[in-house]
Amino acid sequence: MIMIYILLIINFITFIIFSWDKRLSIKHRRRIPETTLLGAAFIGGTIGGILGMFIFRHKVSKKSFLLKFGAIILIQILCIYFSEKYW
């Protein structure tokens, strides 16, 4: 049960990071590095990242970012699959 709360917090923080980066891009300010955005998604904030991308229309036209984000999703799916299969 505690893991669900941790994932909710991580996803909320990831969503906030994506929204903050969009705000910075609109104001033409220094941006949050893509490695931070992708790292937040990688550690469990994938859903928050997806929501941030679609709600704020952020990073959806940048193909290199989408490929990296998709790779993270694929890695997470494989990790879940193999952890369920072999545990």
Side-chain angles (χ1 to χ4, degrees):
M1 188 65 165
I2 189 126
M3 186 62 139
I4 292 173
Y5 292 126
I6 292 170
L7 284 173
L8 284 172
I9 291 168
I10 291 170
N11 277 287
F12 179 72
I13 291 170
T14 303
F15 180 79
I16 297 300
I17 292 170
F18 271 75
S19 68
W20 187 254
D21 189 49
K22 178 64 176 189
R23 180 181 206 97
L24 292 173
S25 71
I26 291 170
K27 293 183 174 188
H28 303 290
R29 306 282 308 266
R30 186 178 172 133
R31 306 278 300 279
I32 296 171
E34 279 189 5
T35 53
T36 303
L37 298 172
L38 293 168
F42 185 76
I43 63 169
T46 308
I47 294 171
I50 291 170
L51 288 174
M53 288 169 62
F54 286 115
I55 290 173
F56 302 113
R57 301 283 304 154
H58 188 51
K59 299 280 188 186
V60 293
S61 62
K62 192 167 183 187
K63 289 183 182 181
S64 65
F65 183 83
L66 292 175
L67 286 173
K68 293 172 191 171
F69 200 86
I72 287 172
I73 293 171
L74 181 63
I75 290 168
Q76 289 174 339
I77 289 170
L78 290 173
C79 287
I80 291 168
Y81 173 76
F82 285 113
S83 69
E84 292 292 322
K85 184 174 181 177
Y86 294 109
W87 287 98

mmCIF file of all heavy atoms in Angstrom, residues 19-65:
data_model
loop_
_atom_site.group_PDB
_atom_site.id
_atom_site.type_symbol
_atom_site.label_atom_id
_atom_site.label_comp_id
_atom_site.label_asym_id
_atom_site.label_seq_id
_atom_site.Cartn_x
_atom_site.Cartn_y
_atom_site.Cartn_z
ATOM 1 N N SER A 19 5.091 20.710 -15.950
ATOM 2 C CA SER A 19 4.346 21.973 -16.055
ATOM 3 C C SER A 19 5.269 23.163 -15.830
ATOM 4 O O SER A 19 5.132 24.194 -16.491
ATOM 5 C CB SER A 19 3.185 21.998 -15.067
ATOM 6 O OG SER A 19 3.639 22.054 -13.741
ATOM 7 N N TRP A 20 6.212 23.041 -14.904
ATOM 8 C CA TRP A 20 7.149 24.132 -14.647
ATOM 9 C C TRP A 20 8.043 24.372 -15.860
ATOM 10 O O TRP A 20 8.308 25.519 -16.231
ATOM 11 C CB TRP A 20 7.995 23.830 -13.411
ATOM 12 C CG TRP A 20 8.859 24.972 -13.008
ATOM 13 C CD1 TRP A 20 10.209 25.082 -13.178
ATOM 14 C CD2 TRP A 20 8.442 26.194 -12.395
ATOM 15 N NE1 TRP A 20 10.662 26.283 -12.703
ATOM 16 C CE2 TRP A 20 9.583 26.985 -12.213
ATOM 17 C CE3 TRP A 20 7.218 26.685 -11.989
ATOM 18 C CZ2 TRP A 20 9.522 28.252 -11.646
ATOM 19 C CZ3 TRP A 20 7.165 27.937 -11.415
ATOM 20 C CH2 TRP A 20 8.309 28.697 -11.254
ATOM 21 N N ASP A 21 8.499 23.293 -16.498
ATOM 22 C CA ASP A 21 9.335 23.443 -17.686
ATOM 23 C C ASP A 21 8.557 24.111 -18.818
ATOM 24 O O ASP A 21 9.101 24.942 -19.543
ATOM 25 C CB ASP A 21 9.870 22.083 -18.140
ATOM 26 C CG ASP A 21 10.913 22.221 -19.225
ATOM 27 O OD1 ASP A 21 11.856 23.027 -19.057
ATOM 28 O OD2 ASP A 21 10.797 21.522 -20.254
ATOM 29 N N LYS A 22 7.291 23.780 -18.963
ATOM 30 C CA LYS A 22 6.469 24.435 -19.985
ATOM 31 C C LYS A 22 6.338 25.922 -19.687
ATOM 32 O O LYS A 22 6.437 26.758 -20.583
ATOM 33 C CB LYS A 22 5.076 23.776 -20.035
ATOM 34 C CG LYS A 22 4.141 24.424 -21.024
ATOM 35 C CD LYS A 22 4.635 24.291 -22.457
ATOM 36 C CE LYS A 22 3.627 24.856 -23.428
ATOM 37 N NZ LYS A 22 3.967 24.569 -24.810
ATOM 38 N N ARG A 23 6.139 26.248 -18.417
ATOM 39 C CA ARG A 23 6.033 27.656 -18.012
ATOM 40 C C ARG A 23 7.331 28.408 -18.323
ATOM 41 O O ARG A 23 7.305 29.528 -18.836
ATOM 42 C CB ARG A 23 5.714 27.739 -16.528
ATOM 43 C CG ARG A 23 5.587 29.132 -16.007
ATOM 44 C CD ARG A 23 5.286 29.095 -14.507
ATOM 45 N NE ARG A 23 4.599 30.280 -14.129
ATOM 46 C CZ ARG A 23 3.295 30.403 -13.996
ATOM 47 N NH1 ARG A 23 2.523 29.364 -14.191
ATOM 48 N NH2 ARG A 23 2.748 31.543 -13.655
ATOM 49 N N LEU A 24 8.464 27.771 -18.042
ATOM 50 C CA LEU A 24 9.755 28.386 -18.344
ATOM 51 C C LEU A 24 9.927 28.584 -19.848
ATOM 52 O O LEU A 24 10.477 29.603 -20.282
ATOM 53 C CB LEU A 24 10.894 27.534 -17.786
ATOM 54 C CG LEU A 24 11.018 27.468 -16.270
ATOM 55 C CD1 LEU A 24 12.073 26.444 -15.867
ATOM 56 C CD2 LEU A 24 11.349 28.834 -15.684
ATOM 57 N N SER A 25 9.465 27.609 -20.648
ATOM 58 C CA SER A 25 9.613 27.739 -22.104
ATOM 59 C C SER A 25 8.763 28.879 -22.649
ATOM 60 O O SER A 25 9.176 29.580 -23.566
ATOM 61 C CB SER A 25 9.261 26.429 -22.799
ATOM 62 O OG SER A 25 7.881 26.177 -22.746
ATOM 63 N N ILE A 26 7.579 29.066 -22.080
ATOM 64 C CA ILE A 26 6.717 30.165 -22.516
ATOM 65 C C ILE A 26 7.358 31.509 -22.202
ATOM 66 O O ILE A 26 7.291 32.451 -22.999
ATOM 67 C CB ILE A 26 5.326 30.053 -21.854
ATOM 68 C CG1 ILE A 26 4.584 28.849 -22.423
ATOM 69 C CG2 ILE A 26 4.515 31.324 -22.046
ATOM 70 C CD1 ILE A 26 3.307 28.510 -21.688
ATOM 71 N N LYS A 27 8.026 31.597 -21.043
ATOM 72 C CA LYS A 27 8.657 32.848 -20.623
ATOM 73 C C LYS A 27 10.063 33.029 -21.197
ATOM 74 O O LYS A 27 10.739 34.005 -20.879
ATOM 75 C CB LYS A 27 8.735 32.901 -19.094
ATOM 76 C CG LYS A 27 7.382 33.007 -18.438
ATOM 77 C CD LYS A 27 7.549 33.135 -16.942
ATOM 78 C CE LYS A 27 6.217 33.387 -16.296
ATOM 79 N NZ LYS A 27 6.354 33.691 -14.871
ATOM 80 N N HIS A 28 10.498 32.069 -22.040
ATOM 81 C CA HIS A 28 11.833 32.115 -22.650
ATOM 82 C C HIS A 28 12.922 32.196 -21.591
ATOM 83 O O HIS A 28 13.880 32.964 -21.719
ATOM 84 C CB HIS A 28 11.953 33.270 -23.649
ATOM 85 C CG HIS A 28 10.942 33.216 -24.736
ATOM 86 N ND1 HIS A 28 10.977 32.272 -25.729
ATOM 87 C CD2 HIS A 28 9.826 33.963 -24.961
ATOM 88 C CE1 HIS A 28 9.952 32.455 -26.538
ATOM 89 N NE2 HIS A 28 9.232 33.467 -26.091
ATOM 90 N N ARG A 29 12.766 31.403 -20.547
ATOM 91 C CA ARG A 29 13.735 31.343 -19.459
ATOM 92 C C ARG A 29 14.555 30.067 -19.592
ATOM 93 O O ARG A 29 14.257 29.198 -20.409
ATOM 94 C CB ARG A 29 13.013 31.342 -18.105
ATOM 95 C CG ARG A 29 12.026 32.487 -17.887
ATOM 96 C CD ARG A 29 12.652 33.811 -17.520
ATOM 97 N NE ARG A 29 13.559 33.770 -16.416
ATOM 98 C CZ ARG A 29 13.253 34.018 -15.143
ATOM 99 N NH1 ARG A 29 12.019 34.301 -14.810
ATOM 100 N NH2 ARG A 29 14.174 33.988 -14.214
ATOM 101 N N ARG A 30 15.573 29.959 -18.753
ATOM 102 C CA ARG A 30 16.396 28.755 -18.742
ATOM 103 C C ARG A 30 15.532 27.553 -18.351
ATOM 104 O O ARG A 30 14.799 27.590 -17.386
ATOM 105 C CB ARG A 30 17.542 28.919 -17.759
ATOM 106 C CG ARG A 30 18.497 27.785 -17.799
ATOM 107 C CD ARG A 30 19.637 28.027 -16.855
ATOM 108 N NE ARG A 30 20.430 26.831 -16.796
ATOM 109 C CZ ARG A 30 21.733 26.812 -16.897
ATOM 110 N NH1 ARG A 30 22.383 27.943 -17.034
ATOM 111 N NH2 ARG A 30 22.397 25.685 -16.836
ATOM 112 N N ARG A 31 15.654 26.464 -19.122
ATOM 113 C CA ARG A 31 14.763 25.312 -19.009
ATOM 114 C C ARG A 31 15.306 24.232 -18.089
ATOM 115 O O ARG A 31 16.484 24.186 -17.782
ATOM 116 C CB ARG A 31 14.564 24.699 -20.400
ATOM 117 C CG ARG A 31 14.095 25.684 -21.461
ATOM 118 C CD ARG A 31 12.625 25.908 -21.429
ATOM 119 N NE ARG A 31 11.903 24.684 -21.648
ATOM 120 C CZ ARG A 31 11.678 24.148 -22.833
ATOM 121 N NH1 ARG A 31 12.097 24.742 -23.925
ATOM 122 N NH2 ARG A 31 11.008 23.017 -22.949
ATOM 123 N N ILE A 32 14.426 23.344 -17.700
ATOM 124 C CA ILE A 32 14.809 22.156 -16.946
ATOM 125 C C ILE A 32 15.409 21.172 -17.945
ATOM 126 O O ILE A 32 14.830 20.933 -19.010
ATOM 127 C CB ILE A 32 13.571 21.544 -16.249
ATOM 128 C CG1 ILE A 32 13.029 22.537 -15.213
ATOM 129 C CG2 ILE A 32 13.914 20.207 -15.608
ATOM 130 C CD1 ILE A 32 11.701 22.145 -14.606
ATOM 131 N N PRO A 33 16.569 20.594 -17.632
ATOM 132 C CA PRO A 33 17.199 19.664 -18.587
ATOM 133 C C PRO A 33 16.310 18.455 -18.894
ATOM 134 O O PRO A 33 15.569 17.972 -18.036
ATOM 135 C CB PRO A 33 18.471 19.211 -17.860
ATOM 136 C CG PRO A 33 18.720 20.238 -16.822
ATOM 137 C CD PRO A 33 17.382 20.791 -16.441
ATOM 138 N N GLU A 34 16.412 17.973 -20.133
ATOM 139 C CA GLU A 34 15.638 16.801 -20.528
ATOM 140 C C GLU A 34 15.993 15.594 -19.685
ATOM 141 O O GLU A 34 15.143 14.744 -19.431
ATOM 142 C CB GLU A 34 15.865 16.485 -22.012
ATOM 143 C CG GLU A 34 15.058 17.331 -22.935
ATOM 144 C CD GLU A 34 15.138 16.862 -24.371
ATOM 145 O OE1 GLU A 34 15.755 15.805 -24.659
ATOM 146 O OE2 GLU A 34 14.574 17.557 -25.226
ATOM 147 N N THR A 35 17.243 15.508 -19.256
ATOM 148 C CA THR A 35 17.630 14.370 -18.421
ATOM 149 C C THR A 35 16.855 14.360 -17.103
ATOM 150 O O THR A 35 16.535 13.291 -16.580
ATOM 151 C CB THR A 35 19.146 14.384 -18.129
ATOM 152 O OG1 THR A 35 19.517 15.651 -17.584
ATOM 153 C CG2 THR A 35 19.949 14.126 -19.380
ATOM 154 N N THR A 36 16.525 15.530 -16.588
ATOM 155 C CA THR A 36 15.719 15.613 -15.371
ATOM 156 C C THR A 36 14.301 15.153 -15.645
ATOM 157 O O THR A 36 13.718 14.392 -14.865
ATOM 158 C CB THR A 36 15.722 17.050 -14.821
ATOM 159 O OG1 THR A 36 17.063 17.453 -14.579
ATOM 160 C CG2 THR A 36 14.923 17.151 -13.543
ATOM 161 N N LEU A 37 13.734 15.606 -16.754
ATOM 162 C CA LEU A 37 12.378 15.196 -17.120
ATOM 163 C C LEU A 37 12.308 13.682 -17.339
ATOM 164 O O LEU A 37 11.410 13.009 -16.824
ATOM 165 C CB LEU A 37 11.917 15.924 -18.387
ATOM 166 C CG LEU A 37 11.820 17.446 -18.316
ATOM 167 C CD1 LEU A 37 11.542 18.018 -19.698
ATOM 168 C CD2 LEU A 37 10.764 17.872 -17.339
ATOM 169 N N LEU A 38 13.270 13.153 -18.086
ATOM 170 C CA LEU A 38 13.285 11.725 -18.366
ATOM 171 C C LEU A 38 13.617 10.920 -17.114
ATOM 172 O O LEU A 38 13.065 9.837 -16.907
ATOM 173 C CB LEU A 38 14.286 11.422 -19.485
ATOM 174 C CG LEU A 38 13.912 11.974 -20.859
ATOM 175 C CD1 LEU A 38 15.089 11.866 -21.818
ATOM 176 C CD2 LEU A 38 12.693 11.266 -21.417
ATOM 177 N N GLY A 39 14.488 11.435 -16.280
ATOM 178 C CA GLY A 39 14.834 10.747 -15.040
ATOM 179 C C GLY A 39 13.647 10.639 -14.103
ATOM 180 O O GLY A 39 13.431 9.601 -13.471
ATOM 181 N N ALA A 40 12.863 11.704 -14.012
ATOM 182 C CA ALA A 40 11.667 11.675 -13.172
ATOM 183 C C ALA A 40 10.677 10.638 -13.692
ATOM 184 O O ALA A 40 10.038 9.933 -12.904
ATOM 185 C CB ALA A 40 11.023 13.057 -13.125
ATOM 186 N N ALA A 41 10.565 10.537 -15.001
ATOM 187 C CA ALA A 41 9.677 9.523 -15.584
ATOM 188 C C ALA A 41 10.230 8.122 -15.321
ATOM 189 O O ALA A 41 9.480 7.204 -14.986
ATOM 190 C CB ALA A 41 9.511 9.755 -17.082
ATOM 191 N N PHE A 42 11.529 7.969 -15.425
ATOM 192 C CA PHE A 42 12.163 6.662 -15.270
ATOM 193 C C PHE A 42 11.992 6.091 -13.866
ATOM 194 O O PHE A 42 11.798 4.892 -13.702
ATOM 195 C CB PHE A 42 13.652 6.752 -15.622
ATOM 196 C CG PHE A 42 14.350 5.427 -15.604
ATOM 197 C CD1 PHE A 42 14.172 4.532 -16.650
ATOM 198 C CD2 PHE A 42 15.172 5.065 -14.555
ATOM 199 C CE1 PHE A 42 14.808 3.306 -16.645
ATOM 200 C CE2 PHE A 42 15.810 3.841 -14.542
ATOM 201 C CZ PHE A 42 15.634 2.952 -15.596
ATOM 202 N N ILE A 43 12.050 6.938 -12.859
ATOM 203 C CA ILE A 43 11.955 6.426 -11.485
ATOM 204 C C ILE A 43 10.518 6.164 -11.046
ATOM 205 O O ILE A 43 10.282 5.830 -9.892
ATOM 206 C CB ILE A 43 12.654 7.356 -10.474
ATOM 207 C CG1 ILE A 43 11.983 8.730 -10.418
ATOM 208 C CG2 ILE A 43 14.138 7.452 -10.752
ATOM 209 C CD1 ILE A 43 12.441 9.593 -9.267
ATOM 210 N N GLY A 44 9.575 6.303 -11.953
ATOM 211 C CA GLY A 44 8.199 5.947 -11.635
ATOM 212 C C GLY A 44 7.176 7.004 -11.969
ATOM 213 O O GLY A 44 5.988 6.819 -11.725
ATOM 214 N N GLY A 45 7.613 8.111 -12.535
ATOM 215 C CA GLY A 45 6.691 9.197 -12.837
ATOM 216 C C GLY A 45 6.189 9.212 -14.260
ATOM 217 O O GLY A 45 5.862 10.269 -14.799
ATOM 218 N N THR A 46 6.089 8.051 -14.868
ATOM 219 C CA THR A 46 5.683 7.974 -16.273
ATOM 220 C C THR A 46 4.289 8.550 -16.505
ATOM 221 O O THR A 46 4.076 9.318 -17.439
ATOM 222 C CB THR A 46 5.727 6.511 -16.749
ATOM 223 O OG1 THR A 46 7.005 5.973 -16.435
ATOM 224 C CG2 THR A 46 5.501 6.416 -18.237
ATOM 225 N N ILE A 47 3.354 8.191 -15.659
ATOM 226 C CA ILE A 47 1.979 8.674 -15.842
ATOM 227 C C ILE A 47 1.922 10.184 -15.653
ATOM 228 O O ILE A 47 1.268 10.886 -16.427
ATOM 229 C CB ILE A 47 1.017 7.937 -14.893
ATOM 230 C CG1 ILE A 47 0.961 6.467 -15.289
ATOM 231 C CG2 ILE A 47 -0.377 8.559 -14.926
ATOM 232 C CD1 ILE A 47 0.219 5.578 -14.326
ATOM 233 N N GLY A 48 2.626 10.703 -14.656
ATOM 234 C CA GLY A 48 2.680 12.152 -14.459
ATOM 235 C C GLY A 48 3.314 12.852 -15.651
ATOM 236 O O GLY A 48 2.877 13.928 -16.058
ATOM 237 N N GLY A 49 4.344 12.233 -16.224
ATOM 238 C CA GLY A 49 4.976 12.800 -17.412
ATOM 239 C C GLY A 49 4.052 12.809 -18.610
ATOM 240 O O GLY A 49 3.970 13.794 -19.342
ATOM 241 N N ILE A 50 3.338 11.705 -18.807
ATOM 242 C CA ILE A 50 2.392 11.630 -19.931
ATOM 243 C C ILE A 50 1.293 12.673 -19.764
ATOM 244 O O ILE A 50 0.938 13.377 -20.713
ATOM 245 C CB ILE A 50 1.805 10.213 -20.050
ATOM 246 C CG1 ILE A 50 2.883 9.239 -20.515
ATOM 247 C CG2 ILE A 50 0.612 10.181 -20.992
ATOM 248 C CD1 ILE A 50 2.491 7.782 -20.436
ATOM 249 N N LEU A 51 0.754 12.769 -18.555
ATOM 250 C CA LEU A 51 -0.285 13.777 -18.310
ATOM 251 C C LEU A 51 0.249 15.189 -18.547
ATOM 252 O O LEU A 51 -0.419 16.023 -19.150
ATOM 253 C CB LEU A 51 -0.829 13.650 -16.889
ATOM 254 C CG LEU A 51 -1.715 12.442 -16.621
ATOM 255 C CD1 LEU A 51 -2.051 12.361 -15.137
ATOM 256 C CD2 LEU A 51 -2.973 12.505 -17.448
ATOM 257 N N GLY A 52 1.460 15.453 -18.080
ATOM 258 C CA GLY A 52 2.065 16.763 -18.296
ATOM 259 C C GLY A 52 2.276 17.070 -19.765
ATOM 260 O O GLY A 52 2.069 18.193 -20.216
ATOM 261 N N MET A 53 2.677 16.046 -20.520
ATOM 262 C CA MET A 53 2.901 16.243 -21.946
ATOM 263 C C MET A 53 1.590 16.561 -22.669
ATOM 264 O O MET A 53 1.555 17.441 -23.533
ATOM 265 C CB MET A 53 3.549 14.995 -22.554
ATOM 266 C CG MET A 53 4.997 14.817 -22.151
ATOM 267 S SD MET A 53 5.691 13.215 -22.581
ATOM 268 C CE MET A 53 5.552 13.224 -24.346
ATOM 269 N N PHE A 54 0.534 15.859 -22.337
ATOM 270 C CA PHE A 54 -0.721 16.058 -23.063
ATOM 271 C C PHE A 54 -1.508 17.268 -22.570
ATOM 272 O O PHE A 54 -2.065 17.999 -23.381
ATOM 273 C CB PHE A 54 -1.580 14.800 -23.010
ATOM 274 C CG PHE A 54 -1.059 13.710 -23.896
ATOM 275 C CD1 PHE A 54 -0.591 12.536 -23.357
ATOM 276 C CD2 PHE A 54 -1.013 13.879 -25.269
ATOM 277 C CE1 PHE A 54 -0.092 11.536 -24.175
ATOM 278 C CE2 PHE A 54 -0.521 12.894 -26.096
ATOM 279 C CZ PHE A 54 -0.048 11.713 -25.550
ATOM 280 N N ILE A 55 -1.550 17.487 -21.282
ATOM 281 C CA ILE A 55 -2.310 18.629 -20.759
ATOM 282 C C ILE A 55 -1.681 19.951 -21.173
ATOM 283 O O ILE A 55 -2.375 20.886 -21.577
ATOM 284 C CB ILE A 55 -2.449 18.535 -19.226
ATOM 285 C CG1 ILE A 55 -3.391 17.387 -18.870
ATOM 286 C CG2 ILE A 55 -2.954 19.849 -18.630
ATOM 287 C CD1 ILE A 55 -3.483 17.078 -17.394
ATOM 288 N N PHE A 56 -0.347 20.036 -21.093
ATOM 289 C CA PHE A 56 0.341 21.291 -21.405
ATOM 290 C C PHE A 56 0.881 21.341 -22.831
ATOM 291 O O PHE A 56 1.517 22.326 -23.208
ATOM 292 C CB PHE A 56 1.481 21.522 -20.410
ATOM 293 C CG PHE A 56 1.020 21.553 -18.987
ATOM 294 C CD1 PHE A 56 1.389 20.557 -18.100
ATOM 295 C CD2 PHE A 56 0.189 22.559 -18.533
ATOM 296 C CE1 PHE A 56 0.960 20.566 -16.790
ATOM 297 C CE2 PHE A 56 -0.251 22.586 -17.229
ATOM 298 C CZ PHE A 56 0.131 21.586 -16.358
ATOM 299 N N ARG A 57 0.636 20.276 -23.614
ATOM 300 C CA ARG A 57 1.176 20.189 -24.983
ATOM 301 C C ARG A 57 2.677 20.460 -24.966
ATOM 302 O O ARG A 57 3.202 21.289 -25.718
ATOM 303 C CB ARG A 57 0.468 21.171 -25.927
ATOM 304 C CG ARG A 57 -1.021 20.992 -26.049
ATOM 305 C CD ARG A 57 -1.433 19.851 -26.910
ATOM 306 N NE ARG A 57 -0.855 19.953 -28.240
ATOM 307 C CZ ARG A 57 -0.637 18.908 -29.014
ATOM 308 N NH1 ARG A 57 -0.949 17.714 -28.595
ATOM 309 N NH2 ARG A 57 -0.102 19.048 -30.201
ATOM 310 N N HIS A 58 3.359 19.757 -24.083
ATOM 311 C CA HIS A 58 4.772 19.996 -23.852
ATOM 312 C C HIS A 58 5.602 18.808 -24.317
ATOM 313 O O HIS A 58 5.347 17.677 -23.930
ATOM 314 C CB HIS A 58 5.015 20.248 -22.366
ATOM 315 C CG HIS A 58 6.400 20.683 -22.044
ATOM 316 N ND1 HIS A 58 7.013 21.731 -22.697
ATOM 317 C CD2 HIS A 58 7.297 20.241 -21.147
ATOM 318 C CE1 HIS A 58 8.223 21.899 -22.208
ATOM 319 N NE2 HIS A 58 8.423 20.994 -21.271
ATOM 320 N N LYS A 59 6.559 19.075 -25.166
ATOM 321 C CA LYS A 59 7.491 18.090 -25.704
ATOM 322 C C LYS A 59 6.826 17.069 -26.625
ATOM 323 O O LYS A 59 7.422 16.054 -26.934
ATOM 324 C CB LYS A 59 8.216 17.339 -24.575
ATOM 325 C CG LYS A 59 9.039 18.194 -23.662
ATOM 326 C CD LYS A 59 10.356 18.511 -24.298
ATOM 327 C CE LYS A 59 11.279 19.198 -23.306
ATOM 328 N NZ LYS A 59 12.497 19.626 -23.938
ATOM 329 N N VAL A 60 5.617 17.313 -27.068
ATOM 330 C CA VAL A 60 4.923 16.342 -27.905
ATOM 331 C C VAL A 60 5.364 16.393 -29.361
ATOM 332 O O VAL A 60 5.116 15.449 -30.112
ATOM 333 C CB VAL A 60 3.382 16.481 -27.807
ATOM 334 C CG1 VAL A 60 2.896 16.103 -26.436
ATOM 335 C CG2 VAL A 60 2.926 17.867 -28.179
ATOM 336 N N SER A 61 6.013 17.450 -29.780
ATOM 337 C CA SER A 61 6.462 17.529 -31.169
ATOM 338 C C SER A 61 7.959 17.265 -31.307
ATOM 339 O O SER A 61 8.484 17.263 -32.410
ATOM 340 C CB SER A 61 6.125 18.904 -31.757
ATOM 341 O OG SER A 61 6.798 19.917 -31.054
ATOM 342 N N LYS A 62 8.626 17.022 -30.203
ATOM 343 C CA LYS A 62 10.069 16.764 -30.230
ATOM 344 C C LYS A 62 10.296 15.256 -30.305
ATOM 345 O O LYS A 62 10.184 14.538 -29.304
ATOM 346 C CB LYS A 62 10.731 17.355 -28.990
ATOM 347 C CG LYS A 62 12.217 17.386 -29.086
ATOM 348 C CD LYS A 62 12.836 18.239 -28.028
ATOM 349 C CE LYS A 62 14.330 18.289 -28.242
ATOM 350 N NZ LYS A 62 14.992 18.962 -27.166
ATOM 351 N N LYS A 63 10.615 14.769 -31.500
ATOM 352 C CA LYS A 63 10.694 13.335 -31.749
ATOM 353 C C LYS A 63 11.771 12.651 -30.926
ATOM 354 O O LYS A 63 11.566 11.533 -30.443
ATOM 355 C CB LYS A 63 10.913 13.067 -33.234
ATOM 356 C CG LYS A 63 9.694 13.366 -34.060
ATOM 357 C CD LYS A 63 9.905 13.025 -35.505
ATOM 358 C CE LYS A 63 8.670 13.404 -36.292
ATOM 359 N NZ LYS A 63 8.784 13.089 -37.689
ATOM 360 N N SER A 64 12.914 13.290 -30.742
ATOM 361 C CA SER A 64 13.981 12.646 -29.976
ATOM 362 C C SER A 64 13.555 12.428 -28.521
ATOM 363 O O SER A 64 13.836 11.388 -27.929
ATOM 364 C CB SER A 64 15.270 13.468 -30.030
ATOM 365 O OG SER A 64 15.101 14.729 -29.398
ATOM 366 N N PHE A 65 12.836 13.388 -27.966
ATOM 367 C CA PHE A 65 12.344 13.245 -26.598
ATOM 368 C C PHE A 65 11.296 12.134 -26.519
ATOM 369 O O PHE A 65 11.305 11.320 -25.600
ATOM 370 C CB PHE A 65 11.754 14.561 -26.086
ATOM 371 C CG PHE A 65 11.307 14.497 -24.655
ATOM 372 C CD1 PHE A 65 12.212 14.678 -23.632
ATOM 373 C CD2 PHE A 65 9.986 14.250 -24.336
ATOM 374 C CE1 PHE A 65 11.815 14.609 -22.303
ATOM 375 C CE2 PHE A 65 9.572 14.178 -23.020
ATOM 376 C CZ PHE A 65 10.494 14.358 -22.004
#
